[in-house]
Amino acid sequence: MVTPHDYTAIFSVRSRRDHHHRLQYYTPFTRLRRQPTGVTLIHTFICNTKNMNNSESQDMVPPVEGVAGGGTAYGWGDGSLQAPSQLRGTIDPTRVPSSELVHVWCMPSTANVGPQEMPRQLEPVSLLAARNERESIQIAIRPKVSWSGSSNAGVVQIQCTDLCSTSGDRLVIGQSVTMRRVVPILGVPDALVPVDMPVSQINLLPGETAAIWVSIDVPSTQPPGQYDGEFIVTATKADAECAAQFLGKSEKYQVYRELRDCLDVIEPIDGKAVEEVVERVKSATTTLRRVLLSPSFSDFFSENGPADMMDEDANLSVRLKLSLTIWDFVLPITPSLPAVIGISDTVIEDRFGVEHGSAEWYDALEQHFKWLLQYKISPYFCKWGNSMRVLTYTSPWPADHPKSDEFFSDPRLAAYAVPYSPVVPSGDLAKDYLQKEVEILRSKSHWKKAYFYLWDEPLNVQQYDAIRHQASEIHAYAPDARVLTTYYSGPSDAPLAPNNFDAFLKVPGFLRPHTQIYCTSEWVIGNREDLVKDIIAEIKTDNDEEWWTYVCMGPSDPHPNWHLGMRGTQHRAVMWRVWKEGGTGFLYWGANCYEKATVASAEIKFRRGLPPGDGVLYYPGEVFSSSHEPVASLRLERLLSGLQDIEYLKLFSSRYGRDEGLAILEKTGMYLGPERYTLDHTPIDMMRGEIFRTCRS
């Protein structure tokens, strides 16, 4: 099996100009068969398709209105991977190799693994990641036969080990390595629901594929090297559960307290006398022995009991080897490209029943803010007013509150929104509010991150004049303040030019000096990348003006966006497009903008009139379990991957120039334009592998 180190030997790929036509709805990795021999893959889980039956007839997948379905292998046949015919009657999974009961294989993070995804060959996984990077794969499981007496095909247990290097360093399961189950939304794989770790059980349905999303978060300080581990999939009886699941809450809590006491005794030993250390170790040993000999453990792990059964199960299990190469590149803690994402405070207030300005309200907003930072985005909260006026703020507290300084100083935050008016109105606060806020923030080192977002997509002269008025007041107190304006046209009641696009181009001149960040819709550009230079020509970058872009509803398929059911590479390509076009920032209008509900666990409904998934990148945890932690979507994970790709491209361009950075997108076939980008994962690995080869120390 080829490893990332072998990548130094080969880097060649033919041009993919002749494969860009969007009507070719390839299933994942179909194009792998067309790659020239010798092309090295970083993700060695790319399937071996030579044994698939009717492979050429399966290249075409009919599009579905609102759901592209491109990453789902509709119509595949099991081929040579059919279940063995000798398994008949009642099946005891503890006596049959799990490989005879289930298919297990791997898929990349860009694949939409739906219930009808058909099996591939199981191969070891080899991944590449920088430090401070998250890399993800999917483990797909499909029953060959049913061994359960219920309507389910059966139950499988999934276990993951730590990833360890030969030098003793490790990535710990539950901390750096996490598992989540892929749950369909409107029939499309999207929600990533956490599962128990390090051992979890899932029910399999007859004739359906289940997927587990595995993420590896590499700390910034993790030593480079190769880390190895494995995933173990075992078919079990329906009533078989891990020992911890048999324990009642009181027993679990007792075990927890006992182990916690051990740590409390052992941890504070620095500087202690030897005699005291010996006594503390003896005390901890006594506690550990008491725990191990307690009925909670001894009933399940006696010498002749389940311990032997576990060894036997291990021999019957399907084992997936995983190797991760961590290289010495460290992704910057502050993202190079600010991606500001809106969070509706009204949706939070309605669904979670928290009153605006209450202690519970502040807690809820803080939870969402901190959770979203892991995705390298810069969240802002928003409240919509009349005629698309919008109140945006990153911190719900006033500028002089310690929490605001904590939020704004977080190095993971690339940009923050400053509210034009009080977030929680009060008589004392409203007076001279803006002047006081600006004066406080300008004295801080994080002021360079600040921006004001006052109005969304102004359409007429009155709305443009409102922006001018508010911006003038802001600049009176802070001439260096940045005002961001999103737009896709000039004022409709006072055309700036004879045609719409020329009028759109003249908006910067119409708004100057009242806007510093001109944020335009990708929908306007369409597939005309040549128009980008005309847009940038109107931006005075030498006067600290910036050009950002956004997507909202449009552009639609085949262009990159985050609609539900688009291909995984289509989601990831949103950020490729930003980087190729030269934008210096990105805005997305909403990540939690689903239909109103007044119960946290209420069914998620997308807003009427919007494409499925538009404005929704994560879900309330209560919809899926008792957890209060938000549940990410596949699309949010792919947003993160796209931002990480930008850091790779930025590193490469800093060494060899931007022209070479653009050339690598074309050489690999990863991204040539909004209608010409890879439909499978292979070119992504090729891009990352080439940058690893040329830029590692």
Side-chain angles (χ1 to χ4, degrees), residues 40-99:
T40 304
L41 308 180
I42 299 296
H43 290 61
T44 57
F45 54 69
I46 301 299
C47 63
N48 178 359
T49 58
K50 64 182 179 181
N51 291 324
M52 289 293 184
N53 288 349
N54 305 318
S55 60
E56 293 303 321
S57 65
Q58 294 153 358
D59 281 357
M60 300 295 289
V61 177
V64 179
E65 182 64 26
V67 178
T72 311
Y74 298 107
W76 283 68
D78 281 308
S80 62
L81 300 179
Q82 291 285 356
S85 58
Q86 63 267 27
L87 291 177
R88 294 289 187 270
T90 303
I91 300 172
D92 183 353
T94 64
R95 298 179 179 276
V96 179
S98 295
S99 60

Side-chain angles (χ1 to χ4, degrees), residues 197-390:
M197 289 184 293
V199 180
S200 181
Q201 290 189 343
I202 62 172
N203 292 316
L204 299 180
L205 296 177
E208 293 192 7
T209 298
I212 298 295
W213 184 280
V214 179
S215 292
I216 304 171
D217 289 281
V218 182
S220 298
T221 56
Q222 193 72 25
Q226 180 172 314
Y227 291 73
D228 297 305
E230 64 180 356
F231 293 89
I232 305 165
V233 179
T234 310
T236 69
K237 293 183 178 179
D239 58 350
E241 295 182 337
C242 61
Q245 291 175 305
F246 282 94
L247 303 181
K249 287 186 177 180
S250 60
E251 293 173 291
K252 291 179 182 179
Y253 183 69
Q254 180 62 32
V255 172
Y256 165 80
R257 287 297 304 270
E258 297 269 18
L259 296 177
R260 182 72 254 179
D261 290 345
C262 282
L263 286 177
D264 291 342
V265 168
I266 291 295
E267 282 181 335
I269 60 174
D270 292 341
K272 301 292 184 181
V274 174
E275 294 81 2
E276 183 177 349
V277 171
V278 171
E279 289 301 317
R280 287 176 177 269
V281 171
K282 287 181 178 179
S283 175
T285 301
T286 301
T287 301
L288 285 175
R289 183 177 291 108
R290 183 168 62 249
V291 171
L292 292 174
L293 294 178
S294 68
S296 299
F297 277 75
S298 60
D299 287 352
F300 295 102
F301 299 101
S302 62
E303 291 185 4
N304 298 316
D308 290 340
M309 293 175 61
M310 289 174 65
D311 291 338
E312 182 179 347
D313 287 345
N315 294 328
L316 298 175
S317 303
V318 178
R319 309 180 83 90
L320 168 64
K321 301 291 185 181
L322 186 146
S323 176
L324 172 70
T325 296
I326 299 176
W327 63 303
D328 53 6
F329 174 43
V330 183
L331 267 62
I333 188 170
T334 304
S336 300
L337 185 133
V340 298
I341 311 291
I343 313 298
S344 171
D345 61 1
T346 305
V347 169
I348 293 175
E349 292 161 10
D350 291 342
R351 180 168 280 267
F352 298 103
V354 293
E355 183 180 354
H356 188 87
S358 65
E360 294 79 11
W361 179 80
Y362 283 105
D363 289 343
L365 267 58
E366 182 175 12
Q367 179 200 21
H368 282 73
F369 172 81
K370 291 184 174 180
W371 182 81
L372 284 164
L373 284 179
Q374 67 179 295
Y375 291 97
K376 302 187 186 297
I377 62 178
S378 297
Y380 67 86
F381 299 100
C382 54
K383 187 179 294 294
W384 299 89
N386 295 328
S387 303
M388 302 296 279
R389 184 193 300 269
V390 61

